[in-house]
Amino acid sequence: MIQKFKFEKLALDGAYLIDPFVAYDERGCFIKDYSKEVFEQQNISHDLSEVFYTYSKSGVIRAIHFQRVMQQPKLVRCVAGEVYDVIVDLRKESITFGKWLGFWLSSENKKELLVPACFGHGYLVVKEAIVSYKCSQKFYSEYDDGIVWNDTELGIEWPLEKVEKVILSEKDKNLQTFSEFKNKEESL
């Protein structure tokens, strides 16, 4: 059986939920989760600059991260385990500024998320996970920033009932609120 690429435009402009190409046979499956040619046929420009992976235990929340400058569009897929993945529109001029969407990404459903530039991105690990990031901009630690995961104004509905406890890095415990982000002069 073969499943071809499927692209679902999301309510936040520039974001897509994608079913990759998957070919199944008696051995298992072959997955192609990125093709420059196929993406360009969908009018999506996503040139790869770097690829990295995170390994996280169940209960880890990676807060709403972004780069202040040199924004980092990314194609995110959970290659092992399961995560509840969240994107937030941080484009101050956008009609969906401050809106968020959440998606279940897992090794079982094989779905991936195209996160545009100027979006925040984070996730809750429900089952121990490895997440792949295919980025079209290099990571610059000096521009790394974020918004606290449980910001009341954003009101992200994390499925916390799915984990025993929340695990946060020290960095993620001390991020700014959405209100603080909105009141900064620089914008994304």
Side-chain angles (χ1 to χ4, degrees):
M1 179 178 97
I2 293 180
Q3 170 188 297
K4 295 187 177 184
F5 274 104
K6 285 191 247 172
F7 294 81
E8 178 187 345
K9 268 186 163 180
L10 300 174
L12 303 180
D13 189 40
Y16 289 83
L17 188 62
I18 301 167
D19 289 320
F21 174 94
V22 185
Y24 297 91
D25 66 19
E26 63 278 355
R27 299 168 295 172
C29 68
F30 168 84
I31 300 170
K32 178 175 18 175
D33 61 9
Y34 175 75
S35 166
K36 181 177 169 98
E37 179 182 347
V38 172
F39 276 55
E40 286 176 349
Q41 289 170 357
Q42 298 294 316
N43 295 317
I44 300 170
S45 175
H46 190 77
D47 293 330
L48 290 180
S49 179
E50 63 184 11
V51 177
F52 59 93
Y53 298 84
T54 58
Y55 161 79
S56 304
K57 299 172 185 175
S58 178
V60 165
I61 289 185
R62 295 191 182 260
I64 308 304
H65 295 164
F66 58 92
Q67 288 187 176
R68 289 184 308 281
V69 295
M70 306 294 282
Q71 285 81 30
Q72 193 180 40
K74 54 188 76 84
L75 183 61
V76 180
R77 186 166 75 87
C78 182
V79 296
E82 183 176 29
V83 302
Y84 183 71
D85 202 284
V86 172
I87 57 174
V88 179
D89 188 347
L90 298 177
R91 302 168 296 179
K92 291 184 178 178
E93 76 289 347
S94 171
I95 61 170
T96 55
F97 175 63
K99 303 293 183 205
W100 66 274
L101 293 173
F103 305 90
W104 290 100
L105 304 181
S106 69
S107 53
E108 287 184 21
N109 71 22
K110 299 172 186 52
K111 291 187 180 298
E112 57 190 341
L113 189 58
L114 183 67
V115 183
C118 304
F119 272 55
H121 172 255
Y123 53 86
L124 166 66
V125 179
V126 175
K127 292 181 189 167
E128 187 174 65
I130 298 173
V131 175
S132 163
Y133 297 75
K134 292 174 177 64
C135 303
S136 65
Q137 178 58 266
K138 182 181 167 203
F139 174 75
Y140 293 93
S141 61
E142 65 269 29
Y143 303 131
D144 189 29
D145 208 342
I147 296 171
V148 67
W149 69 279
N150 58 352
D151 182 84
T152 55
E153 187 175 352
L154 286 178
I156 296 170
E157 296 171 13
W158 299 97
L160 298 177
E161 70 281 357
K162 301 272 188 187
V163 298
E164 286 184 35
K165 68 176 184 169
V166 169
I167 303 168
L168 292 167
S169 69
E170 282 305 311
K171 171 186 147 188
D172 282 359
K173 289 177 185 175
N174 297 299
L175 293 172
Q176 67 193 321
T177 65
F178 184 60
S179 181
E180 290 169 328
F181 169 78
K182 286 191 311 187
N183 292 323
K184 287 185 176 175
E185 299 240 350
E186 75 246 8
S187 62
L188 296 183

